[in-house]
């Protein structure tokens, strides 16, 4: 398979042929098959859901729309102007957008179909006015969704693009507008990375220290007698603090990696109270290769109000795999799917499935999920209380992880392991059965349990071991 065909994954209503493996052309499922969770399933009746009728109407007028958009865009080319609902940017034809997407050098998913972009914009329609949240678009690529959001009335879109290939076209679009679009060479999924950038002593990376000393890796089973090449050196002095090796969030950053503080400062976005309205909405597609790791990184940051959540209740509108969505929204009692990550997200956010899209691409077999889910995750205003703060939220996260490590274990046994004899008392106080399994407890009940433990004289923070708490807090994302 050619390098280009193996690197591209797109959402499109078009015919796709693998250029080297010889696979037959594939007609991807038409957009009208996309459905919302609250739409009735078609079972042969004549009545169609309203959403599907709307999409069919969009598809029928697709070619005419493109001609109109192209004419308007050409006549206004090079002019800086504000957009209105009747002043459209040309979003391009699907085939044209695919050609642009093929220039990407890395494996990425793109939205190249204008109808799918319109579907996303429709879900954000009430948030695109002047007084609503800033829209962050992650890795817009050809810019189909970017232009669609602007056509829908978005007053401020920030395009965070990691691939230099797409920057010139996006920057040209930015220059033609009147401040509605800002383009930043940045990867949202690489904000506040660990172990990036040069270091100022005494902080230091282990790799640099060992390289400077000429110490190389050895097998784990090797002895501890030392390295022969170092025997002639009696003393070496290094300006270094062993306890500051490999710190998190230190040193300058090279784009597309970036610190949140710099990004938000450059954009003039300031912190707001947690109970205020959503200040920023982030739209993107999780990479299926590391989406679970990214969800863990974000949930740690959310509970400690670090990274983007330092600035308020940042809302995520993301495409994630159906497999991961099922785990995030699993109910107590589903001992296979009900896991710590899902409990933490359910406790912290309102999670809403906006749409499912068919997803199949035979030439890229490593992606096996049947659907991609467009999911809105809005942090709850009442997540933090007088008893649950950013100071002890890491303790809550660790408690959830320990409780759900064995979902068929009795909760009372886990509580008694932290404070002998206290489990029955707490469960009685919360009106929970004494024999309840950890995998049968609802997220809100876990929160109430934690708050009860915080107020209990029999429980101190040391019940989760101080060394674990210290490690958790030191691995937060700046």
């Amino acid at each position: 398979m050619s390098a280009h065909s193996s690197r591209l994954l797109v959402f499109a209503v078009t015919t796709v042929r693998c250029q080297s493996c010889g696979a037959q052309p594939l007609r991807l499922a038409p957009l009208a098959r996309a459905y919302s969770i609250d739409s009735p399933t078609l079972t042969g009746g004549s009545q169609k859901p309203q959403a599907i009728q709307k999409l069919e109407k969009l598809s029928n007028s697709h070619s005419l729309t493109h001609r109109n958009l192209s004419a308007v865009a050409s006549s206004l080319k090079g002019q800086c102007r504000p957009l209105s609902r009747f002043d459209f940017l040309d979003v391009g034809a699907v085939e044209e957008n695919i050609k642009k997407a093929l220039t990407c050098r890395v494996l990425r998913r793109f939205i190249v179909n204008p109808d799918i972009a319109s579907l996303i914009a429709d879900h954000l329609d009430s948030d695109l006015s002047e007084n609503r949240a800033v829209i962050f678009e992650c890795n817009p690529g050809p810019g189909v969704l970017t232009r669609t959001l602007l056509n829908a009335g978005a007053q401020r879109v920030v395009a965070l693009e990691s691939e230099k290939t797409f920057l010139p076209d996006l920057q040209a679009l930015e220059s033609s507008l009147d401040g509605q679009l800002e383009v930043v060479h940045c990867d949202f999924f690489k904000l506040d990375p660990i172990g990036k950038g040069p270091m100022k002593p005494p902080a230091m990376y282990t790799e640099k220290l060992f390289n400077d000393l000429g110490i190389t890796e050895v097998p784990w089973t090797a002895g501890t007698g030392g390295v022969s090449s170092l025997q002639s050196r009696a003393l070496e002095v290094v300006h270094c603090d062993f306890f500051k090796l490999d710190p998190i969030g230190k040193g300058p950053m090279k784009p597309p990696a970036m610190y949140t503080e710099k990004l938000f400062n450059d954009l003039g976005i300031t912190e707001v109270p947690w109970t205020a309205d959503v200040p920023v909405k982030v739209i993107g597609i999780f990479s299926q290769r590391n989406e679970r790791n990214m969800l863990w990184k974000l949930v740690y940051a959310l509970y400690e109000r670090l990274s983007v959540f330092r600035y308020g209740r940042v809302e995520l509108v993301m495409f994630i795999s159906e497999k991961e969505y099922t785990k995030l929204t699993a109910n107590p009692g589903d001992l296979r799917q009900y896991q710590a990550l899902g409990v933490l997200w359910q406790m912290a956010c309102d999670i809403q499935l906006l749409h499912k899209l068919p997803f199949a691409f035979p030439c890229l077999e490593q992606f096996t999920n049947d659907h991609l889910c467009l999911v809105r995750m809005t942090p709850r205003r009442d997540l933090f209380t007088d008893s649950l703060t950013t100071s002890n939220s890491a303790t809550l996260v660790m408690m959830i992880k320990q409780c759900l490590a064995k979902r068929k274990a009795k909760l009372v046994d886990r509580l008694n392991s932290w404070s002998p004899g206290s489990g029955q008392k707490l469960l009685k106080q919360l009106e929970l059965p004494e024999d309840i399994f950890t995998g049968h407890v609802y997220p809100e009940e876990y929160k109430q349990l934690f708050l009860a433990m915080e107020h209990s004289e029999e429980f101190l923070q040391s019940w989760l071991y101080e060394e674990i708490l210290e490690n958790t807090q030191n691995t937060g994302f700046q």
Side-chain angles (χ1 to χ4, degrees):
M1 187 181 300
S2 67
H4 275 167
S5 62
S6 65
R7 287 196 298 259
L8 177 67
L9 199 57
V10 297
F11 299 130
V13 180
T14 185
T15 300
V16 180
R17 180 190 294 272
C18 181
Q19 296 178 1
S20 61
C21 72
Q24 291 300 314
L26 168 69
R27 174 68 64 177
L28 294 183
L31 186 61
R33 287 178 57 192
Y35 58 90
S36 173
I37 190 172
D38 54 1
S39 299
T41 304
L42 294 179
T43 57
S46 59
Q47 186 65 26
K48 294 185 178 180
Q50 184 177 358
I52 293 181
Q53 292 177 352
K54 183 174 183 179
L55 290 174
E56 289 180 340
K57 183 178 179 182
L58 282 172
S59 299
N60 293 336
S61 60
H62 188 66
S63 58
L64 177 61
T65 301
H66 277 300
R67 290 195 296 270
N68 292 339
L69 292 179
S70 299
V72 175
S74 299
S75 65
L76 295 174
K77 186 175 180 181
Q79 302 181 30
C80 293
R81 78 246 186 259
L83 292 171
S84 72
R85 294 276 180 172
F86 307 100
D87 182 18
F88 295 109
L89 297 166
D90 186 0
V91 296
V94 173
E95 291 77 9
E96 175 188 351
N97 295 331
I98 289 178
K99 289 181 181 179
K100 293 180 180 179
L102 280 169
T103 63
C104 184
R105 300 175 299 173
V106 296
L107 178 64
R108 287 260 298 275
R109 302 178 188 173
F110 297 101
I111 296 173
V112 298
N113 189 312
D115 289 343
I116 296 178
S118 296
L119 182 151
I120 298 171
D122 285 345
H123 283 297
L124 297 171
D125 185 66
S126 61
D127 302 309
L128 297 180
S129 62
E130 184 174 0
N131 296 324
R132 296 285 183 167
V134 179
I135 306 296
F136 279 13
E137 185 188 358
C138 305
N139 293 327
V144 177
L145 179 57
T146 311
R147 291 171 171 81
T148 303
L149 291 172
L150 293 168
N151 287 341
Q155 296 300 307
R156 190 177 185 191
V157 176
V158 178
L160 304 179
E161 178 53 59
S162 62
E163 189 66 28
K164 290 183 178 180
T165 306
F166 300 113
L167 289 176
D169 182 58
L170 292 170
Q171 290 167 345
L173 176 61
E174 177 185 19
S175 300
S176 70
L177 299 175
D178 190 26
Q180 298 96 333
L181 175 66
E182 297 171 75
V183 179
V184 182
H185 185 201
C186 171
D187 188 341
F188 175 82
F189 303 108
K190 291 185 179 179
L191 283 176
D192 310 311
I194 299 174
K196 296 287 185 181
M199 197 68 58
K200 182 179 180 181
M204 184 176 291
Y205 295 130
T206 301
E207 182 179 8
K208 172 175 171 53
L209 174 63
F210 278 55
N211 285 347
D212 291 348
L213 294 174
I215 303 174
T216 58
E217 299 178 21
V218 297
W220 188 259
T221 55
T224 57
V227 183
S228 59
S229 62
L230 298 178
Q231 290 178 352
S232 60
R233 306 180 187 180
L235 173 66
E236 292 182 72
V237 178
V238 181
H239 185 199
C240 172
D241 186 339
F242 177 82
F243 301 104
K244 291 185 179 180
L245 284 175
D246 307 314
I248 296 174
K250 298 292 183 182
M253 198 68 59
K254 181 180 179 180
M258 185 177 291
Y259 293 130
T260 301
E261 183 176 6
K262 172 175 171 52
L263 173 64
F264 278 62
N265 284 347
D266 291 349
L267 294 173
I269 300 175
T270 57
E271 299 178 28
V272 298
W274 187 258
T275 54
D277 290 337
V278 171
V280 173
K281 292 177 180 285
V282 182
I283 306 172
I285 308 171
F286 279 124
S287 168
Q288 201 165 0
R289 289 181 171 182
N290 64 352
E291 65 180 345
R292 191 164 185 84
N293 290 339
M294 196 67 218
L295 286 166
W296 269 115
K297 176 183 176 180
L298 288 169
V299 84
Y300 273 121
L302 193 161
Y303 275 91
E304 298 193 51
R305 288 200 62 185
L306 299 174
S307 191
V308 295
F309 299 104
R310 167 185 168 186
Y311 295 84
R313 295 186 305 117
V314 173
E315 182 179 274
L316 305 177
V317 182
M318 291 285 184
F319 278 106
I320 66 175
S321 67
E322 185 177 24
K323 175 182 176 182
E324 207 57 57
Y325 171 75
T326 301
K327 292 180 180 179
L328 283 183
T329 58
N331 292 318
D334 184 352
L335 299 183
R336 181 178 179 84
Q337 305 289 353
Y338 194 62
Q339 300 175 13
L341 181 61
V343 170
L344 290 168
W345 275 107
Q346 290 182 45
M347 188 185 303
C349 295
D350 291 316
I351 302 176
Q352 181 185 7
L353 176 62
L354 301 179
H355 239 77
K356 281 186 181 180
L357 292 175
F359 179 62
F361 210 100
C363 293
L364 294 173
E365 295 177 356
Q366 63 267 37
F367 299 100
T368 58
N369 291 295
D370 294 330
H371 296 91
L372 282 171
C373 299
L374 180 61
V375 180
R376 187 201 307 270
M377 295 182 281
T378 309
R380 302 181 190 275
R381 293 179 189 267
D382 60 353
L383 173 60
F384 297 105
T385 65
D386 292 339
S387 300
L388 175 57
T389 66
T390 55
S391 299
N392 63 2
S393 57
T395 312
L396 170 64
V397 173
M398 187 59 63
M399 183 198 82
I400 299 296
K401 292 180 69 175
Q402 289 199 14
C403 284
L404 291 170
K406 295 182 179 180
R407 295 180 285 281
K408 290 184 180 180
K410 290 185 178 181
L411 181 58
V412 66
D413 293 337
R414 174 60 69 185
L415 296 174
N416 286 334
S417 71
W418 295 327
S419 180
S422 301
Q424 291 83 351
K425 179 180 178 181
L426 275 175
L427 293 180
K428 183 178 180 180
Q429 177 182 339
L430 297 176
E431 299 182 350
L432 293 175
E434 189 172 322
D435 59 349
I436 191 171
F437 289 161
T438 58
H440 289 173
V441 181
Y442 283 86
E444 185 59 30
E445 291 173 335
Y446 270 120
K447 182 178 180 181
Q448 295 304 319
L449 175 62
F450 175 78
L451 296 177
M453 294 166 71
E454 285 288 294
H455 288 98
S456 173
E457 296 180 359
E458 299 170 355
F459 282 88
L460 300 175
Q461 281 199 341
S462 58
W463 54 266
L464 274 181
Y465 309 109
E466 292 181 0
E467 63 272 19
I468 294 179
L469 287 177
E470 182 178 354
N471 181 66
T472 302
Q473 293 175 350
N474 286 339
T475 55
F477 296 90
Q478 300 295 321

